[in-house]
Amino acid sequence: MITPNEITTAVSAAVGTLFPGEQVYENLVPREFKRPSNLVELRGIALEELSPRGVKLRYTYKITDFVEVDARHNSHFAALDLRTMLLVGLFAKGYLKADDRALKVISCTTEHNCDYTETVVGLSLNYGRAEFEPAEILPLMQQLDLKTKTKEDTTL
């Protein structure tokens, strides 16, 4: 199973390829952060039913893009627009590779502010339900199930 941290790293690496030499922060921006830069945050994970043996996890990421500001702390809107289009284009191919998996891009929306833009990306990945069972608990559950079935058979 791929972890959310591995997915966050993949999103950050993809954003970093768009803007070489710029800092890509994960989850937190320091007080005196550098511009231009980006912030990648995992905003949530949702579980969706797929089949009796499978589930889909939807990961929502927010990418905040910061550009240089002028003396009044305003950004150049044309630069923000161009960078936003680059971010949208990054996800336009429909998938994001993370480790040995490819997450499907299910949504990508942007919002502009005075000195930054936010791009919210939805990614999904299918899993088997068995992947969520800890390895130590599975044998115990199988033994319990066997004992329960044996007990039911002896009461007849």
Side-chain angles (χ1 to χ4, degrees):
M1 174 186 284
I2 190 166
T3 66
N5 190 48
E6 291 169 322
I7 298 169
T8 302
T9 299
V11 173
S12 296
V15 171
T17 62
L18 289 178
F19 310 108
E22 294 180 11
Q23 181 70 40
V24 179
Y25 300 101
E26 291 182 4
N27 299 316
L28 294 172
V29 174
R31 185 178 305 246
E32 300 298 324
F33 71 96
K34 295 179 182 178
R35 289 172 176 261
S37 61
N38 286 280
L39 168 65
V40 174
E41 301 172 87
L42 175 61
R43 299 300 296 207
I45 302 172
L47 178 74
E48 186 177 309
E49 179 84 16
L50 254 185
S51 70
R53 291 189 171 196
V55 295
K56 178 186 294 189
L57 287 185
R58 288 183 290 126
Y59 302 88
T60 303
Y61 281 89
K62 181 173 79 171
I63 302 164
T64 307
D65 184 43
F66 303 99
V67 295
E68 294 292 339
V69 292
D70 63 18
R72 293 185 177 148
H73 204 74
N74 291 320
S75 298
H76 190 263
F77 291 126
L80 278 174
D81 291 343
L82 178 60
R83 291 172 67 96
T84 300
M85 289 306 296
L86 288 170
L87 284 168
V88 169
L90 176 66
F91 299 104
K93 64 185 173 186
Y95 71 94
L96 175 75
K97 191 160 172 49
D99 199 26
D100 64 343
R101 305 288 299 265
L103 289 95
K104 182 178 179 181
V105 176
I106 55 176
S107 64
C108 183
T109 60
T110 68
E111 185 175 314
H112 290 83
N113 294 291
C114 308
D115 67 334
Y116 62 91
T117 62
E118 294 175 335
T119 303
V120 178
V121 179
L123 304 169
S124 71
L125 193 56
N126 299 344
Y127 291 97
R129 291 185 194 273
E131 294 183 67
F132 292 95
E133 297 179 18
E136 307 84 53
I137 295 176
L138 184 57
L140 295 174
M141 294 302 293
Q142 290 171 338
Q143 289 176 359
L144 179 62
D145 188 44
L146 180 62
K147 287 180 183 178
T148 304
K149 288 180 181 176
T150 305
K151 184 176 179 180
E152 288 174 359
D153 289 341
T154 59
T155 58
L156 294 174

